[in-house]
Short mmCIF file of all heavy atoms in Angstrom, two decimals:
data_model
loop_
_atom_site.label_atom_id
_atom_site.label_comp_id
_atom_site.label_asym_id
_atom_site.label_seq_id
_atom_site.Cartn_x
_atom_site.Cartn_y
_atom_site.Cartn_z
N ASN E 35 19.50 267.21 -112.47
CA ASN E 35 19.41 268.58 -111.96
C ASN E 35 20.39 268.73 -110.80
O ASN E 35 20.24 268.11 -109.77
CB ASN E 35 17.99 268.86 -111.50
CG ASN E 35 17.79 270.32 -111.15
OD1 ASN E 35 18.62 271.15 -111.47
ND2 ASN E 35 16.69 270.63 -110.48
N MET E 39 25.36 274.30 -105.23
CA MET E 39 26.81 274.12 -105.29
C MET E 39 27.49 275.23 -104.51
O MET E 39 27.27 276.42 -104.78
CB MET E 39 27.27 274.13 -106.75
CG MET E 39 26.59 273.08 -107.63
SD MET E 39 26.88 271.40 -107.04
CE MET E 39 28.61 271.25 -107.39
N ARG E 49 44.14 285.78 -89.87
CA ARG E 49 43.43 286.95 -89.35
C ARG E 49 43.74 288.18 -90.19
O ARG E 49 44.89 288.42 -90.55
CB ARG E 49 43.82 287.22 -87.90
CG ARG E 49 43.13 286.31 -86.91
CD ARG E 49 43.59 286.61 -85.49
NE ARG E 49 45.00 286.32 -85.31
CZ ARG E 49 45.70 286.67 -84.24
NH1 ARG E 49 45.12 287.33 -83.25
NH2 ARG E 49 46.96 286.37 -84.14
N GLY E 50 42.71 288.92 -90.53
CA GLY E 50 42.88 290.13 -91.32
C GLY E 50 42.68 289.95 -92.81
O GLY E 50 42.49 290.94 -93.54
N ARG E 54 35.90 284.82 -99.36
CA ARG E 54 34.78 284.90 -100.29
C ARG E 54 34.22 283.50 -100.50
O ARG E 54 34.92 282.61 -100.93
CB ARG E 54 35.24 285.46 -101.63
CG ARG E 54 35.39 286.96 -101.64
CD ARG E 54 35.66 287.47 -103.04
NE ARG E 54 35.79 288.92 -103.05
CZ ARG E 54 35.16 289.72 -103.89
NH1 ARG E 54 34.37 289.21 -104.82
NH2 ARG E 54 35.33 291.01 -103.82
N ARG E 56 31.18 281.20 -102.31
CA ARG E 56 30.28 281.28 -103.45
C ARG E 56 29.20 280.22 -103.40
O ARG E 56 29.42 279.11 -102.87
CB ARG E 56 31.08 281.14 -104.75
CG ARG E 56 31.94 282.35 -105.07
CD ARG E 56 32.80 282.12 -106.29
NE ARG E 56 33.85 281.16 -106.02
CZ ARG E 56 35.01 281.46 -105.46
NH1 ARG E 56 35.25 282.71 -105.07
NH2 ARG E 56 35.91 280.53 -105.26
N GLN E 71 26.93 277.97 -89.11
CA GLN E 71 26.80 276.90 -88.12
C GLN E 71 28.12 276.69 -87.40
O GLN E 71 29.15 276.46 -88.03
CB GLN E 71 26.36 275.59 -88.78
CG GLN E 71 26.09 274.47 -87.81
CD GLN E 71 25.58 273.21 -88.50
OE1 GLN E 71 26.06 272.85 -89.57
NE2 GLN E 71 24.61 272.53 -87.90
N MET E 80 21.56 284.24 -91.62
CA MET E 80 22.36 285.44 -91.86
C MET E 80 21.63 286.39 -92.82
O MET E 80 21.36 287.54 -92.47
CB MET E 80 23.72 285.07 -92.44
CG MET E 80 24.56 284.21 -91.53
SD MET E 80 26.17 283.86 -92.24
CE MET E 80 26.98 285.45 -92.02
N GLN E 84 17.27 287.69 -103.14
CA GLN E 84 16.78 287.34 -104.47
C GLN E 84 17.71 288.01 -105.47
O GLN E 84 18.56 288.81 -105.08
CB GLN E 84 15.34 287.79 -104.65
CG GLN E 84 14.36 287.07 -103.74
CD GLN E 84 12.93 287.54 -103.93
OE1 GLN E 84 12.54 288.00 -105.00
NE2 GLN E 84 12.14 287.43 -102.87
N LYS E 85 17.53 287.71 -106.73
CA LYS E 85 18.41 288.29 -107.75
C LYS E 85 18.50 289.81 -107.60
O LYS E 85 17.48 290.51 -107.66
CB LYS E 85 17.91 287.94 -109.14
CG LYS E 85 18.17 286.51 -109.57
CD LYS E 85 19.61 286.27 -109.94
CE LYS E 85 19.82 284.88 -110.52
NZ LYS E 85 21.23 284.63 -110.86
N ILE E 88 18.71 292.36 -101.70
CA ILE E 88 18.81 291.81 -100.35
C ILE E 88 17.44 291.98 -99.71
O ILE E 88 16.97 293.11 -99.53
CB ILE E 88 19.89 292.51 -99.52
CG1 ILE E 88 21.26 292.29 -100.16
CG2 ILE E 88 19.88 291.99 -98.09
CD1 ILE E 88 22.38 293.09 -99.48
N ILE E 89 16.80 290.87 -99.36
CA ILE E 89 15.44 290.92 -98.83
C ILE E 89 15.46 291.05 -97.30
O ILE E 89 14.70 291.82 -96.72
CB ILE E 89 14.63 289.68 -99.23
CG1 ILE E 89 14.67 289.49 -100.75
CG2 ILE E 89 13.20 289.79 -98.71
CD1 ILE E 89 14.13 290.66 -101.53
N SER E 92 18.83 290.64 -91.53
CA SER E 92 18.76 290.86 -90.08
C SER E 92 19.73 289.99 -89.29
O SER E 92 20.03 290.29 -88.14
CB SER E 92 17.33 290.60 -89.58
OG SER E 92 16.91 289.29 -89.91
N GLU E 97 29.27 294.75 -89.31
CA GLU E 97 30.54 295.10 -89.94
C GLU E 97 31.18 293.87 -90.55
O GLU E 97 30.97 292.75 -90.10
CB GLU E 97 31.48 295.72 -88.89
CG GLU E 97 30.93 297.02 -88.30
CD GLU E 97 31.84 297.59 -87.22
OE1 GLU E 97 32.76 296.87 -86.78
OE2 GLU E 97 31.64 298.75 -86.82
N PRO E 104 24.09 288.61 -107.72
CA PRO E 104 23.98 289.41 -108.94
C PRO E 104 23.06 288.78 -109.97
O PRO E 104 22.69 287.60 -109.87
CB PRO E 104 25.43 289.47 -109.44
CG PRO E 104 26.08 288.25 -108.87
CD PRO E 104 25.41 288.00 -107.55
N PRO E 108 27.03 283.42 -109.34
CA PRO E 108 26.63 282.90 -108.04
C PRO E 108 26.39 283.99 -107.00
O PRO E 108 26.81 285.13 -107.18
CB PRO E 108 27.83 282.03 -107.64
CG PRO E 108 28.99 282.74 -108.27
CD PRO E 108 28.47 283.25 -109.58
N SER E 109 25.77 283.60 -105.92
CA SER E 109 25.69 284.47 -104.75
C SER E 109 27.04 284.41 -104.02
O SER E 109 27.70 283.37 -104.00
CB SER E 109 24.58 283.99 -103.81
OG SER E 109 24.58 284.75 -102.63
N VAL E 116 38.97 288.93 -91.57
CA VAL E 116 38.47 287.82 -90.76
C VAL E 116 39.16 287.75 -89.41
O VAL E 116 40.33 288.10 -89.27
CB VAL E 116 38.60 286.47 -91.50
CG1 VAL E 116 37.73 286.46 -92.75
CG2 VAL E 116 40.05 286.15 -91.81
N TYR E 124 29.64 277.62 -93.28
CA TYR E 124 28.67 278.54 -93.86
C TYR E 124 27.88 277.78 -94.92
O TYR E 124 28.45 277.24 -95.88
CB TYR E 124 29.38 279.75 -94.47
CG TYR E 124 30.02 280.63 -93.42
CD1 TYR E 124 31.28 280.35 -92.93
CD2 TYR E 124 29.34 281.73 -92.90
CE1 TYR E 124 31.86 281.12 -91.93
CE2 TYR E 124 29.91 282.52 -91.91
CZ TYR E 124 31.16 282.21 -91.44
OH TYR E 124 31.73 282.99 -90.45
N ALA E 127 21.47 277.94 -99.01
CA ALA E 127 20.28 277.18 -99.38
C ALA E 127 19.52 277.97 -100.44
O ALA E 127 19.61 279.19 -100.50
CB ALA E 127 19.39 276.92 -98.17
N PRO E 130 12.61 277.66 -104.71
CA PRO E 130 12.01 278.24 -105.91
C PRO E 130 11.05 279.39 -105.61
O PRO E 130 10.81 280.23 -106.45
CB PRO E 130 11.25 277.06 -106.52
CG PRO E 130 10.96 276.16 -105.37
CD PRO E 130 12.10 276.32 -104.41
N THR E 131 10.52 279.39 -104.35
CA THR E 131 9.57 280.44 -103.98
C THR E 131 9.93 280.94 -102.60
O THR E 131 10.77 280.36 -101.91
CB THR E 131 8.12 279.91 -103.96
OG1 THR E 131 8.07 278.83 -103.00
CG2 THR E 131 7.70 279.41 -105.31
N GLY E 133 9.36 281.46 -98.72
CA GLY E 133 8.68 280.97 -97.53
C GLY E 133 7.89 279.69 -97.69
O GLY E 133 7.52 279.31 -98.77
N ARG E 144 33.58 275.42 -95.20
CA ARG E 144 34.14 275.47 -93.85
C ARG E 144 35.32 276.41 -93.80
O ARG E 144 36.34 276.15 -94.43
CB ARG E 144 34.52 274.06 -93.40
CG ARG E 144 33.30 273.29 -92.95
CD ARG E 144 33.36 271.79 -93.17
NE ARG E 144 32.07 271.18 -92.87
CZ ARG E 144 31.05 271.13 -93.72
NH1 ARG E 144 31.16 271.62 -94.93
NH2 ARG E 144 29.90 270.58 -93.36
N LEU E 145 35.13 277.48 -93.06
CA LEU E 145 36.14 278.51 -92.95
C LEU E 145 36.93 278.33 -91.66
O LEU E 145 36.33 278.23 -90.58
CB LEU E 145 35.51 279.90 -92.97
CG LEU E 145 36.43 281.09 -92.67
CD1 LEU E 145 37.49 281.23 -93.76
CD2 LEU E 145 35.63 282.37 -92.53
#
Side-chain angles (χ1 to χ4, degrees):
Chain E
N35 188 13
M39 304 300 291
R49 281 179 296 170
R54 281 188 179 228
R56 289 175 290 277
Q71 185 177 40
M80 298 182 74
Q84 294 179 28
K85 284 285 187 181
I88 297 174
I89 306 301
S92 58
E97 298 177 348
S109 175
V116 296
Y124 292 84
T131 59
R144 281 149 188 82
L145 172 65

